[in-house]
């Protein structure tokens, strides 16, 4: 099994999702970033509005519509701190 990336997607009032992923893709004000296990530390401002995609083992993907907030990458994994985050509907992909 490949290394897994600890991921947390958190909105102002609640934790949206937490678990292990193979990769996370987010759009920051500097552009789109893909995060794999072992990524260098980074703090990025999320583009508004945008989506965060969490790629799980086995090919499943979770997609969230996010507004505002930050992407934090450190030795403990990735945390998405959004003003709001909701599961994306198929039409919003």
């Amino acid at each position: 099994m490949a290394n897994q990336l600890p991921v947390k997607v958190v909105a102002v009032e609640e934790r949206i999702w937490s678990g292990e992923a193979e990769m996370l893709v987010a759009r920051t004000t500097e552009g789109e970033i893909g995060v794999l296990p072992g990524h260098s530390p980074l703090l990025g401002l999320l583009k508004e509005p945008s989506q965060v995609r969490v790629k799980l083992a086995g090919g499943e993907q979770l997609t969230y519509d996010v507004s505002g907030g930050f992407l934090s990458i450190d030795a403990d994994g990735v945390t998405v701190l959004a003003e709001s985050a909701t599961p994306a509907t198929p039409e919003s992909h």
Side-chain angles (χ1 to χ4, degrees):
M1 179 184 201
N3 287 341
Q4 294 290 292
L5 177 69
V7 174
K8 291 182 224 154
V9 179
V10 181
V12 172
E13 297 184 9
E14 65 180 322
R15 179 180 295 186
I16 305 298
W17 186 84
S18 179
E20 300 286 316
E22 290 186 344
M23 181 180 187
L24 177 129
V25 178
R27 185 172 300 279
T28 69
T29 56
E30 301 295 316
E32 191 165 81
I33 182 170
V35 182
L36 295 168
H39 195 286
S40 299
L42 174 91
L43 181 62
L45 182 62
L46 293 171
K47 185 166 174 62
E48 270 191 86
S50 66
Q51 289 189 331
V52 171
R53 298 185 310 275
V54 181
K55 298 185 180 196
L56 306 176
E60 185 181 355
Q61 178 173 286
L62 306 174
T63 304
Y64 298 95
D65 292 323
V66 296
S67 291
F70 297 88
L71 171 74
S72 173
I73 304 167
D74 59 26
D76 296 326
V78 180
T79 302
V80 175
L81 301 164
E83 290 177 23
S84 70
T86 57
T89 59
E91 302 84 49
S92 63
H93 284 254

